[in-house]
Amino acid sequence: MRVRKAVFPVGGLGTRFLPATKALPKEMLPIVDKPLIQYAVEEAAAAGVEEFIFVTGRGKAAIEDHFDHSYELEDLLSSRDKRSELDALRAAIPDAGQVAYTRQQEPLGLGHAVWCARNLVGDEPFAVLLADDLILADTPCLKQMVDAATETKGNVVAVMDVSREHTARYGILDVGRDDGHLAEVRGLVEKPDPAVAPSTLSVIGRYILMPEVFDHLGKMEPGAGGEIQLTDAMAKMIGTQPFHGLRFEGERFDCGDKLGFLQATVAFGLARDDLREGLGDFLLSITKDLQK
Ligand code: G1P
């Protein structure tokens, strides 16, 4: 299956990170030295995506600037012979015409944000990536999903088990046949209470979806929290198209949460050759202090 287009819903307010996100989009918060949104874009590119569609909102101009040239800065780096910084900067910029922006004019939910991209996506399979969910993996998560979608010829969502007390934070699967790697999706429910959740297998912010999902989103039926939910529209496709959850290989960090964000910073720092030793030494020394 060819997945050429990816949608990045980046309209959210980021209230959990105020005051940091007062003037800065939450997707621009850095893990080590890269903004969250750049990790998501690089993951999509590594999975073969060629068109990057951002669904933005007010106050998100920094994201557009980030994926554009900054001639002054590039000039300065080049005059100072800062080759590696310049290369890193340029590598992050998609080619001309590969990026598109549309605006979600009202905060009506994730499903509505994805629906805003319908004309840019058109009639083909596409990916959705939520930049808050950051995944450290040898094979990028979305690449694993494209392979799974090719195998199953249908929709694929990234899934992982969470503790039952946390089901009200996620879209939860009603699981059919399950080989421990791919789980057939028999139903989907958005943020169920632990007592009624059909399982603890949760949707993480990576989706490969068939374009028919737009027909269901277009009905604008409000779901959990009064919002138009992507989960509800996906649930309507079950039974008409193959639909699977992929237990991806890798570690997921919820960077929409302060603790998850800190954990990601440490894990991504330790994964870097230039930081592993220094950060490792520091962690060992403070761990000793904590044990005292
Ligand atoms: C969204 C989705 C939810 C999914 C989650 C993954 O929720 O609605 O189904 O499990 O992302 O992070 P949000 O985190 O935006 O509330």
Side-chain angles (χ1 to χ4, degrees):
M1 185 185 296
R2 286 278 287 125
V3 179
R4 297 189 314 120
K5 300 185 180 184
V7 175
F8 303 86
V10 292
L13 279 179
T15 44
R16 281 194 276 175
F17 276 90
L18 283 169
T21 48
K22 186 179 172 195
L24 180 80
K26 64 171 174 160
E27 298 79 11
M28 289 300 295
L29 291 172
I31 297 293
V32 188
D33 54 8
K34 252 194 269 183
L36 283 169
I37 189 64
Q38 191 178 333
Y39 286 98
V41 165
E42 286 177 359
E43 183 182 327
V49 167
E50 294 164 356
E51 289 185 41
F52 307 90
I53 301 164
F54 294 83
V55 183
T56 69
R58 284 183 178 279
K60 300 283 183 169
I63 297 177
E64 296 186 34
D65 289 341
H66 184 74
F67 291 108
D68 195 358
H69 286 281
S70 163
Y71 287 106
E72 270 183 356
L73 184 58
E74 287 178 33
D75 240 32
L76 192 82
L77 291 174
S78 131
S79 70
R80 294 194 182 163
D81 231 14
K82 301 233 176 243
R83 201 67 241 172
S84 65
E85 286 85 351
L86 188 60
D87 289 347
L89 214 60
R90 288 187 175 152
I93 303 174
D95 287 343
Q98 278 192 311
V99 200
Y101 298 92
T102 188
R103 220 148 135 161
Q104 185 187 23
Q105 292 134 322
E106 290 172 280
L108 298 179
L110 176 61
H112 178 259
V114 172
W115 180 79
C116 289
R118 67 199 178 284
N119 292 331
L120 292 165
V121 171
D123 193 22
E124 59 181 287
F126 66 104
V128 177
L129 294 96
L130 308 185
D132 277 0
D133 282 322
L134 183 58
I135 299 164
L136 186 60
D138 291 336
T139 304
C141 181
L142 197 70
K143 171 78 174 75
Q144 299 176 38
M145 293 173 69
V146 171
D147 293 345
T150 306
E151 185 188 327
T152 60
K153 300 185 173 57
N155 305 274
V156 173
V157 288
V159 295
M160 63 182 261
D161 265 304
V162 299
S163 61
R164 187 159 275 275
E165 60 185 304
H166 290 156
T167 57
R169 296 184 187 174
Y170 298 96
I172 301 288
L173 272 63
D174 183 0
V175 184
R177 235 167 358 133
D178 183 357
D179 66 8
H181 174 61
L182 276 170
E184 194 189 350
V185 182
R186 212 164 46 188
L188 279 167
V189 26
E190 180 68 5
K191 303 195 167 81
D193 282 336
V196 296
S199 78
T200 55
L201 207 52
S202 305
V203 177
I204 297 310
R206 299 287 183 280
Y207 310 78
I208 290 178
L209 299 172
M210 301 304 121
E212 287 76 18
V213 75
F214 291 122
D215 300 337
H216 300 294
L217 288 171
K219 295 188 183 126
M220 300 289 158
E221 289 164 12
E227 297 191 340
I228 295 156
Q229 297 289 355
L230 183 57
T231 301
D232 297 343
M234 294 191 303
K236 299 225 178 77
M237 296 202 286
I238 298 164
T240 67
Q241 302 182 341
F243 211 124
H244 292 85
L246 172 72
R247 286 190 179 82
F248 57 94
E249 279 169 31
E251 199 176 348
R252 172 259 184 179
F253 298 92
D254 177 6
C255 292
D257 170 79
K258 289 183 187 86
L259 182 59
F261 186 88
L262 290 170
Q263 289 167 340
T265 300
V266 172
F268 277 74
L270 288 174
R272 287 261 300 244
D273 289 343
D274 56 336
L275 295 169
R276 185 181 306 113
E277 201 183 323
L279 182 58
D281 288 348
F282 171 69
L283 289 172
L284 286 173
S285 76
I286 54 168
T287 312
K288 274 186 213 133
D289 289 347
L290 283 174
Q291 282 166 345
K292 273 183 201 155

